[in-house]
Amino acid sequence: MVSVVIPVFNDGDRLKDCLAALARQTYPVTRYEIVVVDNGSDQVDGVKAAIAPYRNATLAFEATPGSYAARNRGLAVAVGDVIAFTDADCIPADDWLQRGVEQLQHMPQPGQVVGRVEVFFANPAYLTPVDLYESITAFPQELLLQQFHGGATANMLTWRCVFDRVGLFNAQLKSHGDLEWGQRVYSQGYPQCYAEAAVVLHPTRSSFRELIKRTQRLTGGRYALHLRQAETLGQRQVVFLKALGQNLIPPVAFAVNALFDRRLQGLGQKLKVTLVMVLVRYVSAVEIVRLKLGGTACRD
């Protein structure tokens, strides 16, 4: 039995597409449930309308802001032996659950599967610089697993018993809670693997506003995670200075890689993507300073 946990915040329209994709799964419909967790939406009626047509979908509520708090609430409601995570703006492939569960069953002991997230252009007829940037940077799941022993919960599956032993997500984190949880899985000796065949689709962000909000959220999560690992005031100062310095350095290596990236067509696209990376670096630097001065981490 599989429980698919989906946090949602004011995204009822895209949730409809996600649930429609889950209804097309090749995995037996009697062997999976869908747990949608509303995380304080202002438009909760839209969320309710999205799940209404699906008999195997239930709605739970979590008032604590943050997707990891919402996922923990979903875990409390879920009844499955396997827990699968995706997001409201994702579109799982028809065989997503089948491929993911097969990968879990082939592992030598209970562990974690990180699946492929394939981005697609929200409006292929008009590609913005942000679209192009996202197309080569968003959701590098295999790389995240190799370097950080985790992966985005946009596409992740595991056994319930792993949560029982490792613990829940850190609900205080607004971002990078999936990587922090994966690091606990790794440190306790559970196997992890990347599943190329278990695919979830995710639209690129197109506007600079969306990109800035995402950058602020990811920067805050990463900074909070590093601060948690610092034990003294001096170590926290080092974390701050290192994070700030890394984002003030011009992205020369990124620019060189973009120049030779075959996914980008022409010098114009390569230049646009590089300039977007410069923006991301400086938005991150400003966010780190804001958090250092007592600001609250962004949730969206």
Side-chain angles (χ1 to χ4, degrees):
M1 184 68 183
V2 180
S3 295
V4 182
V5 177
I6 309 172
V8 61
F9 176 68
N10 288 340
D11 206 0
D13 288 340
R14 291 194 292 188
L15 177 63
K16 290 180 182 179
D17 294 333
C18 179
L19 294 176
L22 288 172
R24 298 191 296 266
Q25 292 297 297
T26 56
Y27 200 78
V29 69
T30 58
R31 301 302 299 161
Y32 70 96
E33 65 167 355
I34 303 167
V35 180
V36 176
V37 185
D38 184 84
N39 196 207
S41 296
D42 300 321
Q43 306 158 10
V44 68
D45 287 345
V47 175
K48 291 179 179 179
I51 72 167
Y54 304 100
R55 297 181 62 182
N56 64 337
T58 59
L59 179 62
F61 296 91
E62 176 54 58
T64 303
S67 62
Y68 300 110
R71 292 184 182 99
N72 287 344
R73 176 59 181 162
L75 284 164
V77 175
V79 301
D81 305 303
V82 169
I83 310 295
F85 294 95
T86 191
D87 293 333
D89 56 355
C90 290
I91 302 176
D94 292 355
D95 61 352
W96 172 58
L97 284 179
Q98 178 184 337
R99 299 297 185 185
V101 172
E102 286 175 354
Q103 191 69 54
L104 278 177
Q105 292 175 326
H106 289 158
M107 298 172 76
Q109 66 182 87
Q112 177 188 10
V113 167
V114 173
R116 179 160 63 98
V117 179
E118 184 178 312
V119 297
F120 65 94
F121 295 121
N123 184 3
Y126 177 71
L127 300 182
T128 70
V130 177
D131 280 313
L132 297 171
Y133 174 81
E134 287 256 304
S135 71
I136 67 169
T137 61
F139 300 106
Q141 291 282 74
E142 187 173 16
L143 185 63
L144 289 174
L145 190 62
Q146 291 172 353
Q147 293 188 353
F148 302 104
H149 308 298
T153 37
N155 187 354
M156 193 267 278
L157 301 91
T158 189
W159 296 94
R160 159 74 73 173
C161 63
V162 176
F163 272 104
D164 292 340
R165 298 167 188 171
V166 174
L168 300 176
F169 294 109
N170 184 340
Q172 296 179 339
L173 295 176
K174 299 299 188 296
S175 179
H176 285 67
D178 38 22
L179 297 185
E180 190 273 339
W181 186 81
Q183 288 164 7
R184 279 187 272 143
V185 172
Y186 176 79
S187 67
Q188 295 193 32
Y190 293 104
Q192 298 173 307
C193 73
Y194 173 68
E196 179 77 13
V199 181
V200 162
L201 306 179
H202 191 289
T204 56
R205 294 165 182 82
S206 298
S207 70
F208 282 102
R209 179 175 179 272
E210 290 176 308
L211 178 68
I212 289 171
K213 291 175 66 177
R214 176 179 181 269
T215 300
Q216 291 172 327
R217 177 173 58 83
L218 293 179
T219 299
R222 182 166 54 247
Y223 183 57
L225 184 57
H226 291 162
L227 283 179
R228 288 182 71 250
Q229 298 167 350
E231 298 179 355
T232 67
L233 177 60
Q235 290 175 341
R236 288 192 288 273
Q237 289 295 103
V238 170
V239 167
F240 166 70
L241 293 173
K242 184 177 180 180
L244 184 63
Q246 288 174 339
N247 285 292
L248 292 176
I249 298 173
V252 176
F254 180 89
V256 172
N257 290 334
L259 187 62
F260 294 98
D261 196 317
R262 295 182 178 180
R263 292 170 293 180
L264 301 174
Q265 300 175 6
L267 186 60
Q269 287 192 354
K270 300 174 192 295
L271 179 59
K272 288 177 181 179
V273 165
T274 300
L275 291 176
V276 172
M277 173 53 95
V278 172
L279 173 66
V280 167
R281 287 280 183 92
Y282 285 103
V283 168
S284 297
V286 170
E287 182 66 7
I288 289 167
V289 172
R290 188 184 72 84
L291 294 172
K292 177 66 173 176
L293 296 176
T296 302
C298 299
R299 64 171 291 171
D300 286 296

